[in-house]
Amino acid sequence: MSRILFFLAAIILPIIFSWWLFIPIALLFIYLARLPYEVIIAGFILDSVYYFGNGFFARYPLTIFSLTFIVITFFLSKKIHWSEII
């Protein structure tokens, strides 16, 4: 239940305040939930709300950011043992 609420907060708070708020919320969500794939969906939704430019990297920066950190977390989960909080 808390993962769903945090997912909704990761979408709603950056829409209300600004897109840059997605980055600390996503990092906190990755730290708390270990492998939250919901961050990729939230990044894609926010990329469709905000306009960053025309190129591929300029059009989907939040999706690329969240995908990159999920991949890094996936590789680090084998080396670092941390407990899943939510």
Side-chain angles (χ1 to χ4, degrees):
M1 182 69 178
S2 59
R3 282 180 78 133
I4 295 170
L5 292 175
F6 214 89
F7 169 69
L8 291 175
I11 294 174
I12 293 171
L13 288 176
I15 288 176
I16 292 173
F17 294 109
S18 185
W19 65 268
W20 61 267
L21 194 59
F22 175 74
I23 295 171
I25 289 174
L27 290 175
L28 182 67
F29 195 19
I30 289 171
Y31 174 73
L32 293 176
R34 193 179 346 173
L35 286 174
Y37 298 109
E38 300 94 354
V39 175
I40 299 170
I41 298 168
F44 183 75
I45 291 170
L46 290 173
D47 282 336
S48 66
V49 171
Y50 291 108
Y51 177 74
F52 293 107
N54 280 337
F56 177 76
F57 295 109
R59 189 167 179 157
Y60 301 109
L62 301 177
T63 305
I64 293 169
F65 169 80
S66 58
L67 222 145
T68 303
F69 272 94
I70 292 295
V71 169
I72 290 171
T73 306
F74 179 73
F75 287 121
L76 286 179
S77 68
K78 296 176 183 173
K79 297 188 186 287
I80 299 174
H81 178 69
W82 69 71
S83 61
E84 184 175 330
I85 298 173
I86 60 171

